[in-house]
Amino acid sequence: MRYIAVVVMLMALVACSSFKNGQGFLGQKPDDRTKSQDQGKNKSSDVLLVTTTTEAARVDSVFRLQFCKELFLRHGYDVTSDKSTKLDAAYKKCTNAHTPPKRFETDSYALALSGGGTRAASYSMGVMKALNEADQLENFDSISSVSGGGYTAFWYFIHRYYQYLPDDKGLEYYSTLLNDVGPDGDLNKFCQRIERQQYNYSLDDIFATREEGSIVAKTAAQNHIGRQSDIINYSTSSFVQGAETTGLVATHLVTLPFYWGTDLLLDTNIYNGSVFTNAYRKGLERTYGLVTNPEYSDYVDYFNYDRKQYYNGVNGAFMFWRPNARIDELKFGHYRDFMTAYNHCANESQQAIAPMTLPIINTKRSDRASLFDSDEAYDDFSLTKSVYSFTPLAYGSDYSGYIDDAELWSPSYMSKIYATSGAAADSGAQQVSGLLDPLLAISNANLGYKMRDPSSQQSFWGGMRFWSDKVIGGFPLGLLMPEDYKTTLRLSDGGHAENLGLFSLIKRGTKKIVVVDAEHDPEYGFDALNRLKVKLKHELNLNLSCGETGEETCPLASDFNALQAAPVFSLTVTGFPGREQLDILYIKLSVKKDLLKQRCDGRLPYPSDIETLCREQPGYPENVRAYYQSEIEKQQNSFPHNSTADIWYSEAQYRAYRDLGSYNAKTFLVDKIRRWDEDIERQRKSEKAFYDSLGPKK
């Protein structure tokens, strides 16, 4: 019975398949769509300082105002909450400094994690593990994620939050630190803990695996994911799982008639999702959001959980007898306070402490249908309109503008946004043709959410628009509401717009980017990368091209043979006015199956057909080989591109993907990244000089 739920995922795959077949390149040429931010569909609380003549310059100028906020946060100041005179003056100086031809600094170093469900989450975990072992992971200015890659990003950021949180303190702990800044204050004591590395656990602890000889108590985090990867069911018992799934399906069917009247026709947003929406989000929290206590090493089945096994486990809301059924949820404001406190310590310390990495969560924005589309040039598949991003500072897009999180009436929880970023099955995808479009809506196959457009919260007239929109309602009267006056957005899987998480970094001008591509690509067509290339050129006149590897070893070349190449490629982006070239290292989910079948264990002689291969590349980890062999025995043999609809990973499957990611990153990626070290350090010094030039912030 449990596999009935997979229908939701299969609908998502059909949608993604339709998107890969070429939809989404509509609209006019970039120069025909040029406008200032004030002429956009919605207006941000910020006012653009630059009138642009090209779409790339417009996107650039929209981001520049956000960059100042991120720059200040990186140095321990939250300009969205702190309105002190000196801070405000320095921030205004920063925004004024962005008027060309004055200096404009950008992020130095960032990581992008692609979509691809549990497969992408597991592979990304291995890549991040290798980056941590190479002392690179903490150095990223930001981690931009989509869908499944966001599962692992969520896991990483929530572990960072609890890394220094005392056991007897709640989620408001970091905000209280910011109010006690004296020499003997709690903030100073917190800084001393960071410098002395007095944490609840280290990054090495949460990435540790038993195979490396780590003590058992330090493998708790990895063991938990390996044994609790099911993001639908609560229990690991097959009997209980069947009962749970039966209950979910039955409840969903019972609610459908009510949904048809309240949400499908009248658009009242009473449901705003489905039964599976909540189950999916809570499952994501249990698998990737529970922060394991390394003092507890052995996994205990659901009904025997010890609450102390996790730092943030909470009883179920309705099923109170189920401990650790959900998590003590973080708001973006909580995480912003943590970043502010931590980055203050990093900035004041005499030691080399990297600022806390900024999370960037990418979703896909869909506007409600209207007979009066005010701007047909911005179709639902354009990058600037459809990529809707969240950070602890602001929500929005380059099309609608950005609204500070602190200004929102109902700030969102991080787990909810990460779940929305992975909401593959949703009627907001708008990528399915024929009868499947209404079928998604009628069946309420929605994992995404509707939210109030933040711009409608900024004024009295915005409120009037909101209530007018509510009164008019949904179909058919809602079609008469002009698009400019729509106040509700549907947000779904970021992969419906751009599945690599790269656009949010490219538009920032991030100078060095590592991107992990683990989307479903059994034919190695590099669909997401080639779609991004076309869209960047079409919309922004930016050129995504091969880097130092050359066309013969680049996935953008038509005659490229992925299976004969190493899984890491160099790419560049050029074309932003006044910007330097952006460099990208792109690591692909892939294996060389000829090598995978052999043991390159150093025991010569090898068979003649494998000897050269084994000398050039070490053998794959045993977990990878063992799982691959088990697939052959089951006559599946789809590894490493198992279906995204497969969300019920066994421990062996999780370890195989994780170890493959770690192996590929160690073997092919890490040395290339280290070539960037001097450039990144030079760029950071330039950014620091720019920041210091803004004057005192205290």
Side-chain angles (χ1 to χ4, degrees), residues 228-299:
Q228 188 64 44
S229 68
D230 188 337
I231 58 175
I232 293 294
N233 297 110
Y234 281 78
S235 178
T236 57
S237 163
S238 59
F239 173 79
V240 177
Q241 285 177 349
E244 288 174 345
T245 306
T246 300
L248 286 173
V249 173
T251 305
H252 181 75
L253 294 176
V254 169
T255 62
L256 273 180
F258 300 96
Y259 158 81
W260 293 334
T262 61
D263 283 35
L264 184 63
L265 293 179
L266 300 181
D267 199 27
T268 60
N269 293 339
I270 291 178
Y271 285 88
N272 197 8
S274 68
V275 173
F276 287 103
T277 307
N278 184 67
Y280 163 61
R281 177 186 170 191
K282 296 305 178 185
L284 177 65
E285 292 176 356
R286 287 191 308 274
T287 301
Y288 296 95
L290 281 171
V291 180
T292 51
N293 185 340
E295 299 303 321
Y296 286 72
S297 59
D298 293 328
Y299 177 82

Coordinates of all heavy atoms in Angstrom, one line a residue, residues 228-299:
Q228 N 16.9 6.4 8.0 CA 15.6 7.1 8.0 C 15.4 8.0 6.8 O 15.0 9.1 6.9 CB 15.6 8.0 9.3 CG 14.3 8.7 9.6 CD 13.2 7.7 10.0 OE1 13.4 6.8 10.7 NE2 12.0 7.9 9.4
S229 N 15.8 7.4 5.6 CA 15.7 8.2 4.4 C 14.3 8.3 3.9 O 14.0 9.0 2.9 CB 16.6 7.6 3.3 OG 16.1 6.4 2.9
D230 N 13.3 7.6 4.4 CA 12.0 7.6 3.9 C 11.3 8.9 4.4 O 11.1 9.1 5.5 CB 11.2 6.4 4.6 CG 9.8 6.2 4.0 OD1 9.3 7.2 3.4 OD2 9.3 5.1 4.0
I231 N 11.0 9.8 3.4 CA 10.5 11.1 3.8 C 9.0 11.1 3.7 O 8.4 12.2 3.6 CB 11.1 12.2 2.9 CG1 10.8 11.9 1.4 CG2 12.6 12.4 3.2 CD1 11.3 13.1 0.5
I232 N 8.3 10.0 3.7 CA 6.9 9.9 3.7 C 6.4 9.3 5.0 O 5.5 9.8 5.7 CB 6.3 9.2 2.5 CG1 6.5 9.9 1.2 CG2 4.8 8.9 2.7 CD1 5.8 11.3 1.1
N233 N 7.0 8.2 5.4 CA 6.5 7.4 6.6 C 7.3 7.8 7.8 O 8.4 8.1 7.8 CB 6.7 5.9 6.3 CG 5.8 5.4 5.1 OD1 6.3 5.1 4.1 ND2 4.5 5.4 5.3
Y234 N 6.6 7.6 9.0 CA 7.2 7.8 10.3 C 8.1 6.6 10.7 O 9.2 6.8 11.2 CB 6.1 8.0 11.3 CG 5.5 9.4 11.3 CD1 4.5 9.7 10.4 CD2 5.8 10.3 12.3 CE1 3.9 11.0 10.4 CE2 5.2 11.6 12.3 CZ 4.3 11.9 11.4 OH 3.7 13.1 11.4
S235 N 7.6 5.4 10.6 CA 8.2 4.3 11.1 C 9.1 3.5 10.1 O 8.9 3.7 8.9 CB 7.1 3.3 11.7 OG 7.7 2.1 12.2
T236 N 10.0 2.7 10.6 CA 10.8 1.8 9.8 C 10.1 0.4 9.7 O 10.6 -0.4 8.9 CB 12.2 1.7 10.3 OG1 12.2 1.2 11.6 CG2 12.9 3.0 10.3
S237 N 9.1 0.2 10.4 CA 8.4 -1.1 10.3 C 7.5 -1.1 9.0 O 6.7 -0.2 8.8 CB 7.5 -1.3 11.5 OG 6.5 -2.3 11.3
S238 N 7.7 -2.2 8.2 CA 6.9 -2.2 7.0 C 5.4 -2.3 7.2 O 4.6 -1.7 6.5 CB 7.4 -3.5 6.2 OG 7.2 -4.7 6.9
F239 N 5.0 -3.0 8.3 CA 3.6 -3.0 8.6 C 3.0 -1.6 9.0 O 2.0 -1.2 8.5 CB 3.3 -4.0 9.8 CG 1.9 -4.0 10.3 CD1 0.9 -4.7 9.6 CD2 1.5 -3.3 11.4 CE1 -0.4 -4.7 10.1 CE2 0.2 -3.3 11.9 CZ -0.7 -4.0 11.2
V240 N 3.7 -0.9 9.8 CA 3.3 0.4 10.2 C 3.3 1.4 9.0 O 2.5 2.2 8.9 CB 4.1 0.9 11.4 CG1 3.7 2.4 11.8 CG2 4.0 0.0 12.6
Q241 N 4.3 1.2 8.2 CA 4.4 2.1 7.0 C 3.2 1.9 6.1 O 2.6 2.9 5.6 CB 5.7 1.7 6.2 CG 7.0 2.2 6.8 CD 8.2 1.8 6.1 OE1 8.1 1.0 5.2 NE2 9.3 2.4 6.4
G242 N 2.8 0.6 5.9 CA 1.6 0.4 5.1 C 0.4 1.0 5.7 O -0.5 1.6 5.0
A243 N 0.2 0.9 7.0 CA -0.9 1.6 7.7 C -0.9 3.1 7.6 O -1.9 3.7 7.3 CB -0.9 1.2 9.2
E244 N 0.3 3.6 7.7 CA 0.4 5.1 7.6 C 0.1 5.6 6.2 O -0.7 6.6 6.0 CB 1.9 5.5 7.9 CG 2.2 5.4 9.4 CD 3.7 5.7 9.6 OE1 4.5 5.7 8.7 OE2 4.1 5.9 10.8
T245 N 0.6 4.9 5.2 CA 0.3 5.3 3.8 C -1.2 5.1 3.4 O -1.7 6.0 2.8 CB 1.2 4.5 2.8 OG1 2.6 4.6 3.2 CG2 1.0 5.0 1.4
T246 N -1.8 4.0 3.9 CA -3.2 3.8 3.7 C -4.0 5.0 4.3 O -4.9 5.5 3.7 CB -3.6 2.5 4.4 OG1 -2.9 1.4 3.8 CG2 -5.1 2.3 4.2
G247 N -3.6 5.4 5.5 CA -4.3 6.5 6.1 C -4.1 7.8 5.4 O -5.1 8.6 5.2
L248 N -2.9 8.1 4.8 CA -2.7 9.3 4.1 C -3.5 9.3 2.8 O -4.1 10.3 2.5 CB -1.2 9.4 3.7 CG -0.2 9.7 4.8 CD1 1.2 9.6 4.3 CD2 -0.5 11.2 5.2
V249 N -3.5 8.2 2.1 CA -4.3 8.1 0.8 C -5.8 8.3 1.1 O -6.5 9.0 0.4 CB -4.0 6.8 0.1 CG1 -4.9 6.6 -1.1 CG2 -2.5 6.7 -0.3
A250 N -6.3 7.6 2.1 CA -7.7 7.6 2.5 C -8.1 9.0 2.9 O -9.2 9.6 2.4 CB -8.0 6.6 3.6
T251 N -7.3 9.7 3.7 CA -7.6 11.1 4.1 C -7.6 12.0 2.9 O -8.4 12.9 2.8 CB -6.6 11.5 5.1 OG1 -6.6 10.6 6.2 CG2 -6.9 12.9 5.6
H252 N -6.6 11.8 2.0 CA -6.6 12.7 0.8 C -7.8 12.5 0.0 O -8.4 13.5 -0.5 CB -5.3 12.3 0.0 CG -5.1 13.1 -1.3 ND1 -4.7 14.4 -1.2 CD2 -5.4 12.8 -2.6 CE1 -4.6 14.9 -2.5 NE2 -5.1 13.9 -3.3
L253 N -8.3 11.3 -0.2 CA -9.5 11.1 -1.0 C -10.7 11.7 -0.4 O -11.6 12.3 -1.1 CB -9.7 9.6 -1.3 CG -8.6 8.9 -2.1 CD1 -8.9 7.4 -2.2 CD2 -8.6 9.5 -3.5
V254 N -10.8 11.6 0.9 CA -11.9 12.2 1.7 C -12.0 13.7 1.5 O -13.0 14.4 1.4 CB -11.9 11.8 3.1 CG1 -12.9 12.6 3.9 CG2 -12.2 10.3 3.3
T255 N -10.8 14.4 1.5 CA -10.7 15.8 1.5 C -10.9 16.4 0.1 O -11.2 17.6 -0.1 CB -9.4 16.3 2.0 OG1 -8.3 15.8 1.1 CG2 -9.1 15.9 3.4
L256 N -10.8 15.6 -1.0 CA -10.9 16.1 -2.3 C -12.2 16.9 -2.7 O -12.1 18.0 -3.2 CB -10.7 15.0 -3.3 CG -9.3 14.6 -3.7 CD1 -9.2 13.5 -4.7 CD2 -8.5 15.9 -4.3
P257 N -13.4 16.3 -2.3 CA -14.6 17.1 -2.7 C -14.6 18.5 -2.0 O -15.1 19.4 -2.6 CB -15.7 16.2 -2.1 CG -15.1 14.8 -2.1 CD -13.7 15.0 -1.7
F258 N -14.1 18.6 -0.8 CA -14.1 19.9 -0.1 C -13.1 20.8 -0.8 O -13.4 22.0 -1.0 CB -13.8 19.7 1.4 CG -14.7 18.8 2.1 CD1 -14.5 17.5 2.3 CD2 -15.9 19.4 2.6 CE1 -15.4 16.7 3.0 CE2 -16.8 18.6 3.3 CZ -16.5 17.2 3.5
Y259 N -12.0 20.2 -1.2 CA -10.9 21.0 -1.9 C -11.5 21.6 -3.2 O -11.2 22.7 -3.6 CB -9.7 20.2 -2.1 CG -8.8 20.6 -3.3 CD1 -7.9 21.6 -3.1 CD2 -8.9 20.0 -4.5 CE1 -7.1 22.1 -4.1 CE2 -8.1 20.4 -5.6 CZ -7.2 21.5 -5.4 OH -6.4 21.9 -6.4
W260 N -12.3 20.8 -4.0 CA -12.8 21.2 -5.2 C -13.6 22.5 -5.1 O -13.6 23.4 -5.9 CB -13.7 20.1 -5.9 CG -12.8 18.9 -6.3 CD1 -11.5 18.9 -6.6 CD2 -13.3 17.6 -6.4 NE1 -11.1 17.6 -6.9 CE2 -12.2 16.8 -6.8 CE3 -14.5 17.0 -6.2 CZ2 -12.3 15.4 -7.0 CZ3 -14.6 15.6 -6.4 CH2 -13.5 14.8 -6.8
G261 N -14.4 22.6 -4.0 CA -15.3 23.7 -3.8 C -14.5 24.9 -3.2 O -14.7 26.1 -3.6
T262 N -13.7 24.7 -2.2 CA -13.0 25.8 -1.5 C -11.8 26.4 -2.2 O -11.6 27.6 -2.3 CB -12.6 25.4 -0.1 OG1 -11.7 24.3 -0.2 CG2 -13.8 25.0 0.7
D263 N -11.0 25.5 -2.8 CA -9.7 26.0 -3.3 C -9.6 25.9 -4.9 O -9.1 26.9 -5.5 CB -8.5 25.1 -2.8 CG -8.2 25.5 -1.3 OD1 -9.1 25.9 -0.6 OD2 -7.0 25.5 -1.0
L264 N -10.1 24.9 -5.4 CA -10.0 24.7 -6.9 C -10.9 25.8 -7.6 O -10.5 26.4 -8.5 CB -10.4 23.3 -7.3 CG -10.3 23.0 -8.8 CD1 -8.8 23.1 -9.2 CD2 -10.8 21.6 -9.2
L265 N -12.1 26.0 -7.1 CA -13.1 26.9 -7.7 C -13.0 28.3 -7.1 O -12.9 29.3 -7.8 CB -14.5 26.4 -7.7 CG -14.8 25.1 -8.5 CD1 -16.2 24.7 -8.3 CD2 -14.4 25.4 -10.0
L266 N -13.0 28.4 -5.8 CA -13.1 29.7 -5.1 C -11.8 30.2 -4.7 O -11.7 31.4 -4.3 CB -14.0 29.5 -3.9 CG -15.5 29.1 -4.1 CD1 -16.2 29.0 -2.8 CD2 -16.1 30.0 -5.1
D267 N -10.7 29.4 -4.7 CA -9.4 29.9 -4.4 C -9.3 30.6 -3.0 O -8.7 31.6 -2.9 CB -8.9 30.9 -5.5 CG -7.4 31.1 -5.5 OD1 -6.7 30.1 -5.1 OD2 -6.9 32.1 -5.9
T268 N -9.9 29.9 -2.0 CA -9.8 30.4 -0.7 C -8.6 30.1 0.1 O -8.3 30.6 1.1 CB -11.0 29.9 0.1 OG1 -10.9 28.4 0.2 CG2 -12.4 30.3 -0.5
N269 N -7.8 29.2 -0.5 CA -6.5 28.8 0.2 C -6.7 28.1 1.5 O -5.8 28.2 2.4 CB -5.5 29.9 0.3 CG -5.0 30.5 -1.0 OD1 -5.1 29.8 -2.0 ND2 -4.6 31.7 -1.0
I270 N -7.8 27.5 1.7 CA -8.1 26.8 3.0 C -7.1 25.6 3.1 O -6.6 25.3 4.2 CB -9.5 26.3 3.1 CG1 -10.4 27.6 3.3 CG2 -9.7 25.4 4.3 CD1 -11.9 27.3 3.4
Y271 N -7.0 24.9 2.0 CA -6.1 23.7 2.0 C -4.7 24.1 1.8 O -3.8 23.7 2.5 CB -6.6 22.7 1.0 CG -7.8 21.9 1.4 CD1 -9.1 22.4 1.1 CD2 -7.7 20.7 2.2 CE1 -10.2 21.7 1.6 CE2 -8.9 20.1 2.6 CZ -10.1 20.6 2.3 OH -11.2 19.9 2.7
N272 N -4.4 24.9 0.7 CA -3.1 25.3 0.4 C -2.1 24.2 0.4 O -1.1 24.2 1.2 CB -2.6 26.4 1.3 CG -1.4 27.2 0.7 OD1 -1.0 27.0 -0.4 ND2 -0.8 28.1 1.5
G273 N -2.3 23.2 -0.4 CA -1.5 22.0 -0.4 C -2.4 20.8 -0.3 O -3.6 20.9 -0.6
S274 N -1.9 19.7 0.1 CA -2.7 18.5 0.2 C -2.2 17.7 1.5 O -1.3 18.2 2.2 CB -2.5 17.5 -1.0 OG -1.2 17.0 -1.0
V275 N -2.8 16.6 1.8 CA -2.4 15.8 2.9 C -0.9 15.4 2.7 O -0.2 15.4 3.7 CB -3.3 14.6 3.0 CG1 -2.8 13.6 4.1 CG2 -4.7 15.0 3.3
F276 N -0.6 15.2 1.5 CA 0.8 14.7 1.3 C 1.8 15.9 1.4 O 3.0 15.7 1.7 CB 1.0 14.2 -0.2 CG 0.3 12.8 -0.3 CD1 -0.9 12.6 -0.9 CD2 1.0 11.7 0.2 CE1 -1.4 11.4 -1.0 CE2 0.4 10.4 0.1 CZ -0.8 10.3 -0.5
T277 N 1.3 17.2 1.3 CA 2.2 18.3 1.5 C 2.8 18.3 2.9 O 4.0 18.5 3.1 CB 1.4 19.6 1.2 OG1 0.8 19.5 -0.1 CG2 2.4 20.8 1.2
N278 N 1.9 18.1 3.8 CA 2.3 18.2 5.2 C 3.1 16.9 5.6 O 4.2 17.0 6.3 CB 1.1 18.2 6.2 CG 1.5 18.3 7.6 OD1 2.1 19.3 8.1 ND2 1.2 17.3 8.4
A279 N 2.7 15.8 5.0 CA 3.5 14.5 5.3 C 4.9 14.6 4.7 O 5.9 14.2 5.4 CB 2.7 13.3 4.7
Y280 N 5.0 15.2 3.5 CA 6.3 15.3 2.9 C 7.2 16.3 3.7 O 8.4 16.0 3.9 CB 6.1 15.9 1.5 CG 7.3 16.5 0.8 CD1 8.4 15.7 0.6 CD2 7.3 17.8 0.4 CE1 9.5 16.3 -0.1 CE2 8.4 18.3 -0.3 CZ 9.5 17.6 -0.5 OH 10.6 18.1 -1.1
R281 N 6.6 17.4 4.1 CA 7.4 18.4 4.9 C 7.9 17.8 6.2 O 9.1 17.9 6.6 CB 6.6 19.7 5.1 CG 7.4 20.7 6.0 CD 6.5 21.9 6.3 NE 7.0 22.7 7.3 CZ 6.4 23.7 7.9 NH1 5.1 23.9 7.6 NH2 7.0 24.5 8.8
K282 N 7.0 17.1 6.9 CA 7.4 16.6 8.2 C 8.4 15.4 8.0 O 9.3 15.2 8.8 CB 6.1 16.0 9.0 CG 5.2 17.1 9.3 CD 5.8 18.2 10.2 CE 4.9 19.3 10.5 NZ 5.5 20.5 11.2
G283 N 8.2 14.7 6.9 CA 9.2 13.6 6.6 C 10.6 14.2 6.4 O 11.6 13.7 6.8
L284 N 10.6 15.3 5.6 CA 11.9 16.0 5.4 C 12.5 16.5 6.7 O 13.7 16.3 6.9 CB 11.6 17.2 4.4 CG 12.9 18.1 4.1 CD1 13.9 17.3 3.3 CD2 12.4 19.3 3.3
E285 N 11.7 17.0 7.6 CA 12.2 17.4 8.9 C 12.8 16.2 9.7 O 13.9 16.3 10.3 CB 11.1 18.1 9.7 CG 10.7 19.4 9.1 CD 9.5 20.0 9.9 OE1 9.0 19.4 10.8 OE2 9.1 21.1 9.6
R286 N 12.1 15.1 9.7 CA 12.6 14.0 10.5 C 13.9 13.4 9.9 O 14.7 12.9 10.7 CB 11.5 12.9 10.5 CG 10.3 13.2 11.4 CD 9.4 11.9 11.5 NE 9.1 11.3 10.2 CZ 8.1 11.7 9.5 NH1 7.3 12.7 9.9 NH2 7.8 11.1 8.4
T287 N 14.0 13.4 8.6 CA 15.2 12.8 8.0 C 16.4 13.7 8.0 O 17.5 13.3 8.4 CB 14.9 12.3 6.5 OG1 13.8 11.4 6.5 CG2 16.1 11.7 5.9
Y288 N 16.2 14.9 7.5 CA 17.3 15.8 7.4 C 17.3 17.0 8.4 O 18.3 17.7 8.5 CB 17.3 16.5 6.0 CG 17.5 15.4 4.9 CD1 16.4 14.9 4.2 CD2 18.7 15.0 4.5 CE1 16.6 13.9 3.2 CE2 18.9 14.1 3.5 CZ 17.8 13.5 2.9 OH 18.0 12.6 1.9
G289 N 16.2 17.1 9.2 CA 16.2 18.2 10.1 C 16.4 17.9 11.5 O 16.8 18.8 12.4
L290 N 16.3 16.6 11.9 CA 16.6 16.2 13.3 C 18.2 16.2 13.5 O 18.9 15.6 12.7 CB 16.1 14.8 13.6 CG 14.6 14.7 13.9 CD1 14.2 13.2 13.9 CD2 14.3 15.4 15.2
V291 N 18.6 17.0 14.5 CA 20.0 17.1 14.7 C 20.4 16.1 15.8 O 20.1 16.1 16.9 CB 20.4 18.5 15.2 CG1 21.9 18.7 15.5 CG2 19.9 19.6 14.2
T292 N 21.2 15.1 15.3 CA 21.6 14.0 16.2 C 22.6 14.4 17.3 O 23.5 15.2 17.0 CB 22.2 12.9 15.3 OG1 23.2 13.4 14.5 CG2 21.2 12.2 14.4
N293 N 22.4 13.8 18.4 CA 23.3 13.9 19.5 C 24.4 12.9 19.4 O 24.1 11.7 19.4 CB 22.6 13.8 20.9 CG 23.5 14.0 22.1 OD1 24.7 14.0 22.0 ND2 22.9 14.3 23.2
P294 N 25.7 13.2 19.1 CA 26.7 12.2 18.9 C 27.0 11.3 20.1 O 27.6 10.3 19.9 CB 28.0 13.1 18.6 CG 27.7 14.4 19.2 CD 26.2 14.6 19.1
E295 N 26.4 11.6 21.2 CA 26.5 10.7 22.4 C 25.7 9.5 22.2 O 25.8 8.5 22.9 CB 26.2 11.4 23.7 CG 27.1 12.6 24.0 CD 28.5 12.2 24.1 OE1 28.8 11.2 24.6 OE2 29.4 13.0 23.6
Y296 N 24.7 9.5 21.3 CA 23.8 8.4 21.0 C 24.2 7.8 19.6 O 24.0 8.5 18.6 CB 22.4 8.8 21.0 CG 21.8 9.1 22.4 CD1 22.2 10.3 23.1 CD2 20.9 8.3 23.0 CE1 21.7 10.5 24.3 CE2 20.4 8.5 24.2 CZ 20.8 9.7 24.9 OH 20.3 9.9 26.1
S297 N 24.7 6.6 19.6 CA 25.2 6.1 18.4 C 24.3 5.1 17.7 O 24.2 5.1 16.5 CB 26.5 5.3 18.6 OG 26.3 4.3 19.6
D298 N 23.5 4.4 18.4 CA 22.6 3.3 17.8 C 21.3 3.9 17.5 O 20.6 4.6 18.3 CB 22.5 2.2 18.8 CG 23.8 1.4 19.0 OD1 24.6 1.4 18.0 OD2 24.0 0.9 20.1
Y299 N 20.9 3.6 16.3 CA 19.5 4.0 15.8 C 18.5 3.2 16.6 O 18.6 2.0 16.8 CB 19.4 3.8 14.3 CG 18.1 4.1 13.8 CD1 17.7 5.4 13.5 CD2 17.1 3.1 13.6 CE1 16.5 5.8 13.0 CE2 15.9 3.5 13.1 CZ 15.6 4.8 12.8 OH 14.3 5.1 12.3

